[in-house]
Structures are given as C-alpha cells and as structure tokens.
Amino acid sequence: MSSVKIESVVLDSTRCGESPVWEEKSNSLLYVDIPSKKIFRWNSLTKQVQDFTVDSTVSSVAIRQSGGYVATVGTRFCALNWEDRSSSDLCSVDKDKKNNRFNDGKIDPAGRYFAGTMAEEIAPAVLERHQGALYVLFPSGNVEKYVDHVDISNGLDWSMDHKIFYYIDSLSYSVDAFDYDLHTGKIANRRSVYKMEKEEHIPDGMCIDTEGKLWVACYNGGRVIRLDPETGTRLQTVKLPTEKTTSCCFGGKDYSELYVTSARDGLDPDKLSRQPEAGRIFKITGLGVKGVAPHAFAG
Ligand code: BGC
Ligand code: BGC
Ligand code: CA
C-alpha cells in the first residue's frame, strides 16, 4: 500500500481557486481565481506560474482542440489566445439576469462545453435562489439551456462508458446523475446518487477516476471524498489543511496525482491565521487510482 501525501504546489494563494485542468502537452495545471479575474498555468517541471487577466470573473477554463483555451467569463463563453493574452467572445447567456455569473464548466467527451451559472453571492453560498442554469455550448456555436432554476451550478463529469452525466447543484447537498447521450449531448432522467453528510458540508467541484468513482471537493468541509455512484456510498475521505476545498482533477504523469484547488475568501482573520495554506493548490499522491485526460472543446 502506498501512503497518501499532500503538498501545496503553488505558494501564492487564490481568493477562490477553481477549475483545475491538466494540460499534458505543457506538463501544466490550468486553474482560475474567480474574483481575481485570472487564469493561471502552473508548469510542473519549471514550477513557474503564468497568468492571464480577463475583464470579468472567470469560473472555468478548458483546452481548445484548435489551439488555445476556452473559458467562462462573466456570463460569456470566450476563446483565449495565451500567447498574446487576447480573448474573444463566443456567446453569452442569462442576458435577462444582470446579477448572474458563470460558475463551474467542463468539456464533454464529444467536445461540447457544459457550464452553469449562479446569482452573485452576498457571502459564500448566500445568494438569491434558483437564478442559475446549466448551459451547453456546441462546437457549432449554438448554446442550449439544459437545466433551469439552479442555485449554484457546480461539479460535473461523465462516466467512463459515456452513458452518465454527473452534476452538482451545490445547495441541493446532493451529487446527481443523468442519462447522457454521447451522440446528441442530451441529458435526461435526473436522480441523486449521493447525499452529503453534515460534516462534508457543500459539494463543489468533482472529477471521475478510471474505476468510475467520483472525487468531490467539499466546500467548508476541508476534504475530498471518493464516492461510488452505483451504491451511493463514500469509499474514502482525504482531509486537506484548509476548509474551503473547491475542486479537483487528476493530472501529472499517468494522471495519478489529484490536484485540489481551494479558497481563502470567506475565512475570517482568525480562521485564516489557523489555515495558512488557504487558497493554495494542493497535489495529492499515493491514492493508487488514476484519472482520465480532460477533453478539448471541438469548436
Ligand atoms: C462558487 C463559490 C461558492 C462555492 C460554494 C463555488 O463553486 O464559485 O462562489 O461559494 O462554490 O457553493
Ligand atoms: C477530443 C480528443 C481527445 C480527448 C481527450 C476529446 O474531446 O476530441 O481529440 O483525445 O478529448 O480525452
Ligand atoms: Ca466550483
């Protein structure tokens, strides 16, 4: 048995780190800091961090097949050119909801961009309810609303056989599943596969491993949990040294390292002094499981 090890890989902390994505070709981890309007790229070989500032909150980032990246900025889907730090809008959503912003997003196995919105918060997880929605940006440029009346659209991933879409609306305290049609991208038949326990707090970002188990970052819970969506049970808990753990993805050589983002916003000065690593990016090794490569936007 290997032993689980946790280290922070970037010393600069984020206010609300999110959307970790492993980019194999640059041996790098991409992630965002939502309120700072920044996207980061940490090179695991040189340990250098590059950044890209956009004009609004940036809540998710993804690799684009044709080069560069795509991201959700404010209520827009954008294309990014990292070389000259330029961005262009692909389309926008929630035009009737001035107080909304995008939150988590990820590319599906066919290259579509799934991303959801939420109302702006008064304090972490305190907001006007049911204002968000889950959208899908197709490679053609069309955008469709898939789920309406969402509180905080969050973690998402797809089963290994591409037949199930897993989704988290944080304030439901549940991890849900939908039937998923790879060919059309349609989802149907929503059900809960896991109900959060009290000490796990709020379900946030999520990723799947090659055994089909889900890793969920627990906001306020200071942990990632590994769930079996078939039995609705928790298989493992890995505690982190700070409570606002926000999202996770597998990366590194063979996708055997789990990267976890975290936040420092929302911690009072007392908690901050007791959690000096709040807002950092963590790498967990020795888990004995692997993840899958991220998909790339096909548009
Ligand atoms: C959001 C935060 C929110 C947290 C907990 C994150 O994905 O970006 O604003 O406080 O989830 O629900
Ligand atoms: C792309 C593939 C790529 C895969 C990585 C897909 O979205 O179409 O080219 O190999 O993502 O998992
Ligand atoms: Ca999130």
Side-chain angles (χ1 to χ4, degrees):
M1 268 305 271
S2 53
S3 65
V4 175
K5 185 179 153 205
I6 302 170
E7 58 189 292
S8 54
V9 294
V10 185
L11 296 186
D12 288 332
S13 75
T14 51
R15 289 178 55 192
C16 185
E18 279 281 0
S19 188
V21 176
W22 187 257
E23 186 181 44
E24 221 170 289
K25 75 164 194 214
S26 64
N27 297 293
S28 296
L29 185 77
L30 297 161
Y31 57 96
V32 303
D33 185 1
I34 300 177
S36 302
K37 309 177 183 175
K38 279 182 193 291
I39 301 155
F40 294 96
R41 189 168 72 181
W42 171 73
N43 185 311
S44 66
L45 304 179
T46 65
K47 314 292 179 205
Q48 282 181 328
V49 185
Q50 297 179 322
D51 63 67
F52 183 152
T53 306
V54 291
D55 63 7
S56 188
T57 53
V58 55
S59 59
S60 73
V61 63
I63 297 161
R64 191 180 190 188
Q65 280 180 28
S66 59
Y69 306 107
V70 280
T72 49
V73 179
T75 49
R76 289 166 286 144
F77 282 104
C78 296
L80 308 176
N81 179 333
W82 194 270
E83 308 317 317
D84 65 4
R85 301 293 195 273
S86 63
S87 75
S88 57
D89 294 352
L90 297 172
C91 67
S92 74
V93 301
D94 284 355
K95 296 185 188 77
D96 54 330
K97 297 224 164 90
K98 296 291 169 224
N99 198 35
N100 275 19
R101 66 160 170 88
F102 261 120
N103 199 38
D104 210 351
K106 195 175 275 181
I107 309 298
D108 85 350
R112 309 173 188 97
Y113 199 162
F114 280 54
T117 59
M118 60 186 276
E120 201 50 72
E121 295 165 301
I122 300 153
V126 180
L127 75 174
E128 195 186 339
R129 309 268 322 239
H130 312 311
Q131 298 305 301
L134 175 68
Y135 290 95
V136 179
L137 174 65
F138 288 76
S140 63
N142 282 346
V143 62
E144 279 183 36
K145 188 187 277 189
Y146 269 24
V147 184
D148 209 352
H149 311 294
V150 176
D151 287 322
I152 299 182
S153 190
N154 244 320
L156 55 186
D157 215 337
W158 291 264
S159 63
M160 294 301 294
D161 65 4
H162 301 158
K163 288 186 170 157
I164 302 171
F165 168 60
Y166 295 107
Y167 179 57
I168 291 171
D169 178 352
S170 289
L171 298 190
S172 72
Y173 294 89
S174 166
V175 179
D176 292 350
F178 291 79
D179 297 338
Y180 165 73
D181 183 329
L182 175 66
H183 186 66
T184 61
K186 295 290 176 208
I187 59 171
N189 186 27
R190 185 176 187 167
R191 64 265 181 195
S192 173
V193 294
Y194 184 77
K195 297 276 187 204
M196 298 294 277
E197 300 204 354
K198 200 159 177 36
E199 70 275 14
E200 293 166 350
H201 295 268
I202 302 176
D204 199 334
M206 138 173 89
C207 68
I208 198 158
D209 66 33
T210 59
E211 294 170 16
K213 308 297 189 272
L214 300 172
W215 291 84
V216 177
C218 302
Y219 186 89
N220 290 345
R223 68 191 70 192
V224 288
I225 52 176
R226 184 179 190 233
L227 308 177
D228 184 342
E230 279 170 15
T231 59
T233 53
R234 185 186 58 241
L235 304 170
Q236 193 175 351
T237 297
V238 181
K239 293 202 176 168
L240 286 109
T242 185
E243 68 185 56
K244 293 190 183 291
T245 35
T246 53
S247 192
C248 53
C249 81
F250 283 94
K253 208 170 176 289
D254 305 329
Y255 291 88
S256 61
E257 302 165 343
L258 186 69
Y259 286 90
V260 181
T261 52
S262 71
R264 67 167 195 271
D265 273 11
L267 290 175
D268 62 32
D270 184 46
K271 277 193 167 174
L272 260 181
S273 71
R274 280 182 283 122
Q275 297 176 35
E277 295 184 278
R280 287 192 187 168
I281 310 298
F282 300 92
K283 178 172 88 175
I284 309 179
T285 51
L287 290 170
V289 292
K290 289 176 184 178
V292 288
H295 304 294
F297 182 59

